[in-house]
């Protein structure tokens, strides 16, 4: 079929125009596909069929369990236990509270898989603590929101499940294990930054945890961290599928929160379920809408055109991958993560595959790019939540954001050009 440039311009232009008019992303995707179908003379029932087909994927059943498990753990007062656990390792250093913040975000990311949940749970505790102890507000908020970006890479992340589906069934187990080293590397880079700033600004160290306190703190913290061990261990051992392990992890989170920790009464399960269903409704609608939009992109041969164009721009793999990163960073600043995963994966995966990049490595690179978008304006959901907690304006926080973006960009480049950072662990585990 010859390339219809007018149809391509209409599809992409109508979608961009609707976004400019502040139409919600999912609705903009649906409306632009309806406009495109009408122009091409394709029955509108095809749009509905493609939306339903986008949800008819078994792996998506894992998403509600991951979201529910994360909501339960977020509501269960676990953030204080994880902060205490992190304080054992880094609290005694100068500016230790900042490093505790990052460490707790690392731990919590392994439970929630959500950067927004991470900054809400950890930030609501650490940001007021840091302000009270003399830390600058922009530093406290910047460190919190950048630390929360780890959650989308460290398993169990439902965004990795979405990528697996968009990439045509890439192993969820391989993606989960691939995200561990990059996630920890990002956390380590932010801790180095936190220490360097603390030394320069004279931030204090925290009280050293006594030996008598260690067993209780470690015991309570490790009980929570056993949830991702169940999920990842079940998948890697072959005992569970990704969906089954998510369900088992959800049951574990329920028992631990309501019957072991008992920080909240069982009556709180109803608002937790309500929040879960709201989040799930948004996620599934976006997946369905993006599936229909992606169908028309494929029908118009957009992925093939972009692949050919990018490969003609330069013979250098380095240059092409750098351009892809710049494109994803720009898009991440103006669109939400889930629709971008679903739209850009079928477009860019053929390009990176042609360059010899493993789909698992590309998935981690993609998610880190888009997680950076979560903390950059104008559509940085994590940035907005952090600023609300810290009581700082978006404009003021944006001026200080470059300092925290620097280590994230460095880690992004390492993940892009050093495949072993993403692939060594899955390879060692036979994924």
């Amino acid at each position: 079929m010859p390339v219809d440039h007018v149809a391509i311009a209409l599809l992409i232009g109508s979608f961009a125009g609707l976004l400019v008019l502040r139409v919600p992303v999912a609705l903009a995707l649906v409306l632009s596909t309806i406009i495109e179908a009408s122009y091409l003379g394709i029955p509108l029932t095809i749009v509905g069929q493609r939306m339903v087909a986008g949800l008819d994927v078994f792996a998506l059943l894992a998403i509600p369990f991951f979201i529910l498990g994360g909501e339960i753990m977020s509501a269960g007062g676990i953030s204080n236990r994880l902060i205490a656990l992190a304080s054992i390792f880094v609290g005694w250093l100068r500016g230790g509270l900042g490093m505790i913040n990052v460490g707790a975000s690392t731990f919590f990311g392994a439970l929630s898989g959500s950067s927004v949940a991470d900054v809400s749970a950890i930030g609501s505790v650490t940001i007021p603590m840091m302000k009270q102890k003399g830390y600058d507000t922009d530093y406290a908020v910047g460190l919190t929101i950048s630390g929360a970006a780890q959650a989308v890479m460290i398993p169990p992340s439902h965004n990795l499940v979405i990528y697996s589906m968009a990439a045509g069934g890439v192993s969820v187990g391989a993606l989960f294990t691939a995200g561990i080293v990059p996630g920890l590397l990002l956390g380590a880079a932010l801790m180095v930054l936190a220490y360097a700033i603390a030394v320069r600004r004279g931030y204090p160290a925290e009280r050293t945890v006594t030996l008598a306190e260690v067993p209780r703190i470690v015991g309570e913290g490790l009980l929570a961290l056993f949830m991702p061990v169940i999920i990842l261990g079940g998948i890697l051992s072959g005992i569970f599928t990704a969906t089954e392990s998510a369900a088992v992890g959800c049951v574990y989170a329920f028992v631990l929160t309501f019957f072991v920790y008992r920080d909240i009464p069982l009556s709180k399960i109803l608002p937790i379920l309500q929040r879960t269903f709201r989040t799930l409704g948004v996620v599934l609608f976006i997946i369905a809408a993006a599936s229909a939009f992606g169908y028309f992109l494929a029908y118009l041969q957009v992925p093939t055109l972009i692949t050919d164009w990018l490969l003609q721009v330069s013979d250098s793999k380095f240059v092409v991958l750098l351009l892809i990163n710049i494109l994803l960073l720009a898009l991440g600043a103006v669109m939400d993560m889930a629709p971008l995963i679903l739209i850009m994966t079928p477009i860019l995966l053929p390009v990176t595959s042609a360059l010899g990049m493993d789909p698992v490595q590309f998935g981690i690179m993609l998610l880190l790019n888009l997680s950076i978008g979560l903390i950059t304006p104008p559509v940085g959901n994590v940035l907005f939540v952090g600023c609300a907690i810290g009581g700082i304006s978006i404009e003021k926080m944006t001026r200080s954001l470059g300092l925290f973006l620097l280590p994230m960009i460095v880690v992004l480049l390492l993940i892009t050009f050093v495949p072993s950072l993403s692939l060594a662990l899955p390879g060692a585990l036979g994924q």
Side-chain angles (χ1 to χ4, degrees):
M1 186 182 81
V3 176
D4 189 338
H5 295 285
V6 174
I8 294 173
L10 179 63
L11 178 65
I12 298 175
S14 60
F15 175 60
L18 289 166
L19 289 181
V20 171
L21 294 174
R22 295 184 173 273
V23 175
V25 173
L27 189 55
L29 288 167
V30 174
L31 291 175
S32 59
T33 55
I34 290 174
I35 293 170
E36 186 68 19
S38 300
Y39 171 77
L40 294 173
I42 295 175
L44 294 183
T45 53
I46 297 295
V47 176
Q49 289 172 0
R50 297 313 306 177
M51 292 179 70
V52 173
L55 297 177
D56 189 18
V57 180
F58 179 76
L60 289 181
L61 289 175
I63 292 178
F65 293 114
F66 284 140
I67 293 174
L68 178 57
E71 287 286 353
I72 291 173
M73 292 297 235
S74 299
I78 194 174
S79 53
N80 288 319
R81 291 180 172 87
L82 296 179
I83 289 169
L85 181 62
S87 69
I88 294 176
F89 302 102
V90 292
W92 52 275
L93 294 168
R94 178 173 287 280
L97 187 54
M99 284 176 277
I100 289 171
N101 188 339
V102 176
S105 290
T106 305
F107 294 147
F108 196 86
L111 303 178
S112 69
S114 166
S115 294
V116 173
D118 196 329
V119 76
S120 299
I122 300 299
S124 61
V125 178
T126 56
I127 291 175
M129 286 174 61
M130 293 175 75
K131 291 172 66 176
Q132 185 179 14
K133 294 195 174 185
Y135 289 78
D136 297 312
T137 302
D138 59 344
Y139 170 81
V141 173
L143 197 60
T144 303
I145 62 176
S146 54
Q150 302 168 87
V152 301
M153 293 186 294
I154 297 177
S157 167
H158 66 268
N159 289 297
L160 285 171
V161 178
I162 294 174
Y163 169 76
S164 170
M165 180 199 71
V170 174
S171 167
V172 173
L175 289 168
F176 277 5
T177 51
I180 294 174
V181 172
L184 295 177
L185 180 62
L186 177 57
L190 290 170
M191 283 189 181
V192 170
L193 174 68
Y195 179 74
I197 295 175
V199 170
R200 183 172 181 178
R201 298 185 183 181
Y203 293 145
E206 295 302 295
R207 177 184 69 86
T208 303
V209 177
T210 65
L211 287 176
E213 296 174 293
V214 170
R216 175 187 59 81
I217 293 173
V218 171
E220 291 185 350
L222 290 183
L223 274 177
L225 293 177
F226 194 62
M227 178 182 165
V229 173
I230 291 174
I231 293 172
L232 193 56
I235 294 173
L236 296 181
S237 64
I239 298 174
F240 307 130
T241 64
T243 301
E244 291 165 348
S245 67
V248 172
C250 193
V251 172
Y252 179 81
F254 177 80
V255 172
L256 182 65
T257 298
F258 290 105
F259 299 103
V260 179
Y261 288 157
R262 293 184 291 183
D263 287 336
I264 56 175
L266 192 57
S267 59
K268 293 292 185 182
I269 191 65
L270 183 57
I272 289 173
L273 289 172
Q274 289 173 335
R275 289 195 300 272
T276 299
F277 291 142
R278 280 197 298 268
T279 303
L280 183 60
V282 172
V283 170
L284 292 182
F285 184 36
I286 288 174
I287 290 173
S291 177
F293 189 85
Y295 168 80
F296 281 96
L297 286 176
Y299 180 81
L300 296 170
Q301 305 178 57
V302 173
T304 302
L305 291 173
I306 292 180
T307 299
D308 293 342
W309 178 77
L310 281 172
L311 294 178
Q312 289 173 4
V313 168
S314 173
D315 294 331
S316 170
K317 177 180 177 180
F318 177 87
V319 172
V320 175
L321 290 178
L322 206 57
L323 287 173
I324 290 174
N325 277 315
I326 293 171
L327 173 63
L328 291 173
L329 288 172
L331 291 173
V334 297
M335 278 184 67
D336 291 327
M337 177 175 286
L340 274 176
I341 294 172
L342 292 162
I343 294 169
M344 299 309 297
T345 298
I347 292 175
L348 295 178
L349 185 57
V351 182
T352 56
S353 296
L355 294 172
M357 177 179 279
D358 190 281
V360 172
Q361 182 191 0
F362 173 67
I364 303 304
M365 184 187 92
L366 171 69
L367 261 66
L368 180 52
N369 267 293
L370 302 186
S371 70
I372 294 173
L374 293 174
I375 68 171
T376 52
V379 189
N381 293 334
V382 173
L383 172 65
F384 298 155
V385 174
C387 289
I389 294 172
I392 185 174
S393 68
I394 302 293
E395 293 76 17
K396 185 175 181 181
M397 187 61 241
T398 301
R399 288 195 291 271
S400 305
L401 205 54
L403 190 62
F404 302 97
L405 290 175
L406 179 61
M408 300 182 77
I409 297 297
V410 170
V411 172
L412 173 61
L413 292 174
L414 288 173
I415 292 171
T416 301
F417 298 110
V418 184
S420 59
L421 291 175
S422 304
L423 303 179
L425 188 55
L429 296 173
Q431 292 297 300

